[in-house]
Amino acid sequence: MAYLRSILRSGKNAVPAVLRREFHRTLPAAVQVTVRDAIKEALDEELERDERVFLLGEEVALFEGAYKVTRGLWKKYGDKRIIDTPITEIGFTGIAVGAAMAGLRPVVEYMSFNFSMQSVDHIINSAAKTYYMSGGLQPVSIVFRGPNGAAPGVAAQHAQCFAAWYGHVPGLKVVSPWSAEDAKGLLKSAIRDDNPVVFLENEIMYSVPFEMSEESQSKDFLIPIGKAKIERKGNHVTLVSHSHVVSRCMDAAAVLAKDGIECEVINLRTIRPMDMEAIETSVMKTKHLITVEGGWPQFGVGGEILARIMEGPGFSYLNAPAVRVTGVDIPMPYAKHLEENTLPQIKDIVFSVKKTLNV
Amino acid sequence: VGIEAGINPTDHLITAYRIHGYTYTRGVSVKEILAELTGRKDGIAKGKGGSMHMYAKNFYGGNGIVGAQVPLGAGVALACQYQAKNEVCVTLYGDGAANQGQIFEAFNMAALWKLPCIFICENNKYGMGTSVERASASTDYYKRGDYIPGLRVDGMDVLSVREATRFAADYCRYGKGPILMELQTYRYHGHSMSDPGVSYRTRDEIQEVRGKSDPITMLKDRMISKNMASLEEIKDIDAEIRKEIEEAAQFATSDPEPPLEDLCN
């Protein structure tokens, strides 16, 4: 079952991957890498490539990362480049932004983006707005990364999704990877980008292995920020999603395929700037659109996509109103059954698709 | 002026929003400053920043959120340490900002990591309209750094400020860590354009400071009494400056505003 899942997840590499494995070819093969390790590889490669890059955050050095993402990096790069901070988010975020203003390229880790709320003033007022406010004189090259959104069993204060919050702000780029390749290629691009980038990982995805193509194993493998990826082609309905929810969409698509409904699953990869072109092209083909996200409904990512579809060329192609499937509009509860039902489940996506297609 | 005389142009400086003087001492022309104040295209930030957001080489603004500039300044100091160029960062804040939590967070990390940061509290006795006694449980701002050594300096005496800054900069350059300075000074006008400045203090108080402790007057009197300059030389300097300012003001009111095409550039 897990094997089947990983095949589904590797998207269009599925068939060649199976063949390669079956015939044990010795070509430089694709390898299985977890999202966690992909992030670490990206950090390691960028630290090696550019002296100005350094990491700071709680427990990133000696503890090797609260979620072990930065394991081994402190041993390799030392105190100067991997810095453990005290539990003072607004302070260390300000320090990181100041260092970026003075020409370094910090990568700030938040143990959870929920804690970034303490630092929001620096992310927005000190980082996002500065390049514009200074008339182009002062760039701020910084990456803010960490787990965002739902995590199992952590309850309300540790499970909020910030994609819509940060996606709202001009001056920021906001990235939300799903697969290991996403994580690696996008993080490398984020670190090399001269703008402030908010990099929303997800704890649920850290341990999930994905097949990484040979190309993605190169040290210069970059995925452009602002381009979505079609994880699964289909003709009947477009599902647009980001982060861990893409997995749910792929699972739902597999279930629907048994009923002859072929979903096109788009992995947004970037929240801001959003790849509306990819969504519109898909909608013009399938004529049906459903956005699926883990965050709250009001003023969310889905709401923005739907508004833009209304305003753009895709609208006249729709055969049914475009709808959103989102997390429930409540603080995340603790009890397992309640928690499960707060996020979009496979059955919710299937229900929404069938309703939209009127079947 | 005193601070600038105590450091090098290759050092760094950051402050809050009362920045026009610092923008000048950090190398921006009067013309560009006034043009930014009037929102013109040749202002230092191309009209996009305004009074509170001016930047220059090694000058990081120009920050509108009270207290935010302090961790930023500690971060610039981190970059100085990281790049090992023997530079320091002067990080200024006011008595009003001195109670901000993020300042204490910055103190902690600066001391922990021995960042070459000179924290300077400009105590002008009022945070907007609130006097220091009504805002702070302790008004000994030079002691608020706790484990960071602190100096109390007469902020109205340019030479004292220069000497104290030199001392502080040397301290930091020797890698001893951060240091704190409190400059005791005064604010003649209100907080901003919309504040006449007299609902929370008396006119007499303002007059007294102007009469007895004005920094420019004090320096002028000292130079003349010690025969370092004559009254004529000072008059000539005054006239030159007046001319420069008038030209700049003329420019600032005649330069065009930024074109609409620049809105999203």
Side-chain angles (χ1 to χ4, degrees):
Chain A
M1 196 46 187
Y3 176 86
L4 196 63
R5 276 237 175 88
S6 75
I7 297 293
L8 282 171
R9 286 205 183 103
S10 46
K12 55 183 186 179
N13 286 327
V15 172
V18 169
L19 286 175
R20 256 177 284 184
R21 220 177 265 124
E22 298 258 308
F23 292 107
H24 299 291
R25 290 222 178 108
T26 50
L27 287 172
V31 293
Q32 290 269 312
V33 180
T34 60
V35 172
R36 173 188 288 111
D37 287 342
I39 295 171
K40 192 182 71 167
E41 269 174 36
L43 292 171
D44 193 355
E45 288 169 13
E46 295 307 301
L47 280 160
E48 196 177 72
R49 176 182 175 269
D50 189 342
E51 260 285 302
R52 300 168 297 171
V53 176
F54 70 100
L55 264 51
L56 72 167
E58 293 154 12
E59 311 302 345
V60 295
L62 275 74
F63 195 86
E64 304 200 300
Y67 297 100
K68 303 303 176 205
V69 174
T70 52
R71 175 180 279 145
L73 293 179
W74 175 71
K75 289 213 174 94
K76 184 171 174 186
Y77 294 101
D79 281 334
K80 178 180 169 185
R81 305 192 62 204
I82 314 288
I83 304 178
D84 271 339
T85 61
I87 307 172
T88 48
E89 271 76 7
I90 183 172
F92 71 69
T93 305
I95 284 182
V97 175
M101 286 180 174
L104 297 183
R105 303 186 78 96
V107 177
V108 180
E109 173 171 311
Y110 292 111
M111 203 180 281
S112 164
F113 261 96
N114 292 271
F115 310 154
S116 77
M117 274 203 283
Q118 304 226 314
S119 321
V120 134
D121 181 60
H122 280 296
I123 297 175
I124 295 177
N125 279 320
S126 307
K129 296 179 182 173
T130 297
Y131 190 63
Y132 186 90
M133 271 191 327
S134 65
L137 285 178
Q138 180 66 73
V140 182
S141 311
I142 189 168
V143 176
F144 304 100
R145 53 159 289 270
N148 172 60
V154 294
Q157 291 180 345
H158 283 52
Q160 186 175 333
C161 177
F162 289 85
W165 275 43
Y166 291 120
H168 189 58
V169 181
L172 283 183
K173 290 194 179 174
V174 181
V175 176
S176 183
W178 169 59
S179 65
E181 253 189 48
D182 285 355
K184 183 169 179 193
L186 288 169
L187 184 53
K188 287 166 75 74
S189 293
I191 293 173
R192 296 188 195 190
D193 198 308
D194 289 337
N195 293 288
V197 182
V198 171
F199 193 83
L200 303 170
E201 302 160 8
N202 185 271
E203 201 211 310
I204 299 171
M205 296 307 294
Y206 279 154
S207 301
V208 177
F210 284 81
E211 201 155 271
M212 296 269 281
S213 64
E214 189 210 331
E215 187 206 351
S216 69
Q217 291 164 55
S218 124
K219 286 193 177 174
D220 280 312
F221 171 67
L222 299 175
I223 291 181
I225 293 179
K227 289 265 165 267
K229 182 179 178 203
I230 300 181
E231 298 290 350
R232 183 190 196 282
K233 283 199 185 304
N235 288 315
H236 299 135
V237 60
T238 301
L239 298 177
V240 182
S241 188
H242 72 100
S243 193
H244 62 110
V245 187
V246 175
S247 306
R248 290 273 162 97
C249 290
M250 297 293 271
D251 293 343
V255 168
L256 286 161
K258 295 197 198 117
D259 287 338
I261 299 173
E262 294 300 325
C263 301
E264 180 143 291
V265 179
I266 298 184
N267 168 12
L268 272 177
R269 283 180 159 177
T270 302
I271 305 290
R272 174 185 263 270
M274 196 143 55
D275 190 356
M276 275 315 290
E277 205 186 306
I279 302 175
E280 268 162 4
T281 307
S282 178
V283 166
M284 289 188 210
K285 180 174 73 169
T286 66
K287 318 218 187 308
H288 297 87
L289 174 63
I290 299 175
T291 65
V292 192
E293 69 198 284
W296 290 322
Q298 198 158 323
F299 303 102
V301 175
E304 174 65 18
I305 294 174
L306 263 45
R308 290 209 210 175
I309 283 286
M310 293 277 280
E311 293 166 346
F315 173 69
S316 42
Y317 287 80
L318 286 173
N319 282 348
V323 293
R324 313 171 276 185
V325 174
T326 70
V328 178
D329 195 32
I330 51 171
M332 179 67 74
Y334 175 67
K336 195 158 194 317
H337 185 59
L338 293 181
E339 183 191 67
E340 274 166 7
N341 280 280
T342 306
L343 291 170
Q345 305 200 18
I346 296 174
K347 63 175 168 67
D348 299 314
I349 303 173
V350 168
F351 175 81
S352 192
V353 168
K354 289 190 169 168
K355 185 158 178 234
T356 300
L357 291 175
N358 214 8
V359 297
Chain B
V1 172
I3 293 172
E4 202 65 58
I7 57 173
N8 305 321
T10 47
D11 288 319
H12 307 257
L13 192 143
I14 188 171
T15 182
Y17 47 77
R18 210 170 291 290
I19 61 173
H20 311 145
Y22 290 110
T23 315
Y24 177 68
T25 56
R26 284 267 105 190
V28 178
S29 70
V30 180
K31 227 168 71 164
E32 284 173 302
I33 296 173
L34 294 186
E36 186 60 36
L37 285 175
T38 50
R40 309 289 163 156
K41 70 173 178 46
D42 290 303
I44 185 64
K46 307 204 174 81
K48 299 257 182 68
S51 175
M52 291 190 288
H53 306 296
M54 302 186 187
Y55 297 79
K57 185 164 196 311
N58 296 352
F59 175 57
Y60 306 89
N63 294 279
I65 306 297
V66 172
Q69 75 276 17
V70 178
L72 292 179
V76 173
L78 177 80
C80 291
Q81 186 189 62
Y82 192 101
Q83 293 169 321
K85 289 197 217 147
N86 207 23
E87 292 164 0
V88 302
C89 181
V90 175
T91 302
L92 295 130
Y93 60 97
D95 49 279
N99 297 311
Q100 275 261 315
Q102 58 184 316
I103 292 186
F104 295 95
E105 295 189 15
F107 284 167
N108 181 44
M109 285 180 271
L112 210 49
W113 302 332
K114 292 200 161 27
L115 302 181
C117 191
I118 306 174
F119 294 106
I120 301 187
C121 177
E122 292 175 290
N123 177 6
N124 64 15
K125 310 219 189 342
Y126 293 90
M128 201 155 151
T130 307
S131 71
V132 291
E133 298 81 38
R134 294 177 65 238
S136 301
S138 159
T139 54
D140 289 330
Y141 296 104
Y142 69 106
K143 287 189 191 165
R144 295 285 212 90
D146 192 2
Y147 36 78
I148 297 180
L151 313 171
R152 173 173 263 169
V153 183
D154 179 0
M156 300 304 243
D157 179 356
V158 176
L159 300 177
S160 294
V161 174
R162 183 188 70 188
E163 291 312 303
T165 307
R166 264 192 196 146
F167 174 84
D170 281 343
Y171 182 90
C172 288
R173 280 189 233 280
Y174 272 110
K176 294 186 184 169
I179 191 168
L180 178 55
M181 260 165 62
E182 177 188 344
L183 299 185
Q184 297 198 301
T185 180
Y186 196 77
R187 194 189 73 211
Y188 294 142
H189 298 289
H191 166 73
S192 65
M193 301 294 291
S194 49
D195 174 23
V198 286
S199 65
Y200 45 86
R201 55 186 178 171
T202 63
R203 283 186 208 277
D204 287 341
E205 182 187 291
I206 306 172
Q207 303 290 43
E208 192 172 338
V209 177
R210 248 197 227 279
K212 295 207 181 123
S213 332
D214 182 81
I216 299 177
T217 312
M218 276 179 16
L219 182 66
K220 194 165 79 175
D221 290 345
R222 205 183 228 161
M223 284 172 76
I224 291 175
S225 69
K226 302 236 187 305
N227 288 327
M228 297 178 83
S230 68
L231 213 48
E232 281 78 55
E233 281 174 309
I234 302 231
K235 281 214 176 82
D236 286 340
I237 293 175
D238 272 346
E240 230 180 275
I241 295 173
R242 213 172 284 276
K243 184 161 166 279
E244 188 186 338
I245 305 289
E246 262 161 30
E247 275 170 16
Q250 183 47 20
F251 178 78
T253 43
S254 60
D255 193 48
E257 289 193 33
L260 216 47
E261 296 82 66
D262 280 359
L263 187 65
C264 295
N265 278 349

